[in-house]
Amino acid sequence: MLISRQTAAKPLRRAILCSLIVAMASGYSLSATARGTLRIGYQKSSTLITLLKHQGTLEQALGQDDVDITWHEFPSGLPLLEALNVGNVDISADVADTVPIFAQAAKARLTYFAEESPSPSAQAIVVRSDSAIRQLSDLRGKKVAVTKAAGTHYLLIAALNKAGLSFGDIQPAYLSPADGRAAFENNKVDAWVTWEPFLTRVQRQLPTRTLTDGVGLASYKRYYLTSTGYAQAHPGVLKRVYQQLRQAGGWIKSHPRDAAQVLGPLWGNLDADTVEAANARRSYQVEPVKADQLGEQQKIADAFFKAGLLPAPVDAKDVDIWTP
């Protein structure tokens, strides 16, 4: 039986067409299930994120949504939010309440997506036990180590104001926590304003005296932020992160010793007693952010502007807020 070329070509065309359909369907399937990546920026003092990173629970939770995680450590909150603003990370682990104010002043469009309730005793101004500085007013003309834009920066301003001094009455030494500790230990500065776990560590390892903590001066909330674009595009990811943060905070408070034993090696081999004491000063209570509760953020912004540390006034409520 003779088969014409045209007749013979029909099955071949059908086979090619079927192959193309299969290839297109396969390509679509691969595209639809392509894994995403969440880039998380954090600091050494970002307790809950550090815990989730160590335990792998956040990877497991986001793995259900085909999302991988990369981790990026920063020395302090300000460079962390700068990285967030330019798109180098997707979300920021907790930063002190002052840091978003500086980001707003730099015209960053950031979104709050969670907060830790106040922990005013988790930061303090310390001097050496043999220092002649006995009260806040004695800081006039003295060199004080502080991390720029950290929560302790605002605590220092508030404490000076309470003593009838201005920020211009001292000599600020803007140092990272590690460099601040070294300067304090080696008598290069007269006082150091720091936060947990650096605070409990220095109090236990060196003879110090505390001039004041934040009680009555600075409530010290810590905020979790993301870019506005990421919040709009990935609300499901933020919901997973929020849930995991709440669970981690609850676990630390209900298992303080276990948490201390886990976190100690991650915090430069701190002993468990020091870590447990440091964590006792933090609330670790993760909550939604509410616009009508940003009053202290405005106080912080106004204090920094009055001290000449912000280029222009900041409206603390001019932010985007994601809620679970």
Side-chain angles (χ1 to χ4, degrees):
M1 180 179 175
L2 296 175
I3 301 176
S4 69
R5 183 177 300 177
Q6 184 177 3
T7 302
K10 289 181 180 179
L12 180 61
R13 287 199 296 269
R14 283 197 297 269
I16 292 173
L17 181 60
C18 289
S19 297
L20 287 171
I21 292 172
V22 170
M24 290 172 66
S26 298
Y28 176 79
S29 175
L30 287 172
S31 175
T33 60
R35 299 187 69 86
T37 300
L38 171 64
R39 301 166 299 168
I40 298 179
Y42 69 103
Q43 307 170 70
K44 193 176 291 294
S45 58
S46 300
T47 310
L48 300 186
I49 285 292
T50 299
L51 182 63
L52 292 174
K53 178 178 183 291
H54 174 75
Q55 294 180 331
T57 50
L58 189 54
E59 277 100 342
Q60 293 173 16
L62 288 176
Q64 301 174 47
D65 301 322
D66 295 317
V67 176
D68 296 318
I69 299 175
T70 58
W71 306 91
H72 309 269
E73 185 175 346
F74 291 80
S76 62
L78 196 55
L80 170 52
L81 283 203
E82 288 171 350
L84 182 65
N85 188 39
V86 299
N88 289 337
V89 295
D90 300 311
I91 69 171
S92 159
D94 56 309
V95 294
D97 39 19
T98 52
V99 182
I101 297 299
F102 276 80
Q104 281 186 260
K107 307 301 181 183
R109 291 305 305 178
L110 304 174
T111 294
Y112 289 80
F113 76 91
E115 70 177 35
E116 289 180 22
S117 59
S119 302
S121 62
Q123 53 179 357
I125 303 175
V126 296
V127 296
R128 290 177 294 278
S129 59
D130 60 353
S131 172
I133 299 172
R134 294 287 173 178
Q135 53 191 2
L136 292 170
S137 59
D138 295 334
L139 291 173
R140 184 187 296 273
K142 298 298 190 291
K143 182 176 289 188
V144 182
V146 64
T147 301
K148 187 174 184 179
T152 49
H153 200 172
Y154 175 63
L155 171 60
L156 178 56
I157 293 174
L160 291 171
N161 289 342
K162 179 183 178 181
L165 303 177
S166 70
F167 196 73
D169 290 324
I170 64 160
Q171 302 176 50
Y174 291 124
L175 299 171
S176 68
D179 291 339
R181 166 64 187 259
F184 182 74
E185 190 169 352
N186 292 298
N187 294 309
K188 301 297 184 182
V189 294
D190 301 295
W192 184 30
V193 200
T194 191
W195 66 93
E196 296 295 359
F198 312 107
L199 175 59
T200 295
R201 184 177 188 178
V202 73
Q203 289 173 330
R204 285 173 170 260
Q205 294 178 346
L206 295 176
T208 65
R209 186 161 15 90
T210 301
L211 291 183
T212 187
D213 61 16
V215 176
L217 292 172
S219 66
Y220 189 52
K221 285 186 177 182
R222 296 186 70 87
Y223 290 99
Y224 296 80
L225 297 104
T226 182
S227 68
T228 299
Y230 192 88
Q232 293 171 345
H234 303 282
V237 173
L238 293 184
K239 183 176 180 180
R240 292 273 194 195
V241 175
Y242 179 84
Q243 292 169 340
Q244 289 296 312
L245 289 171
R246 282 184 62 88
Q247 292 176 20
W251 183 81
I252 285 180
K253 284 303 185 180
S254 61
H255 299 80
R257 195 64 182 181
D258 292 338
Q261 291 172 341
V262 170
L263 291 167
L266 305 177
W267 284 351
N269 292 318
L270 277 182
D271 64 277
D273 289 341
T274 298
V275 176
E276 190 170 350
N279 284 341
R281 292 172 169 170
R282 289 276 296 272
S283 72
Y284 294 127
Q285 183 176 345
V286 177
E287 302 173 338
V289 179
K290 298 178 181 178
D292 60 1
Q293 295 180 0
L294 293 176
E296 181 152 1
Q297 289 298 91
Q298 191 61 58
K299 286 176 59 179
I300 292 170
D302 294 344
F304 275 104
F305 179 67
K306 182 179 179 180
L309 299 172
L310 286 180
V314 168
D315 180 357
K317 291 186 178 181
D318 184 21
V319 292
D320 295 309
I321 296 175
W322 176 90
T323 54

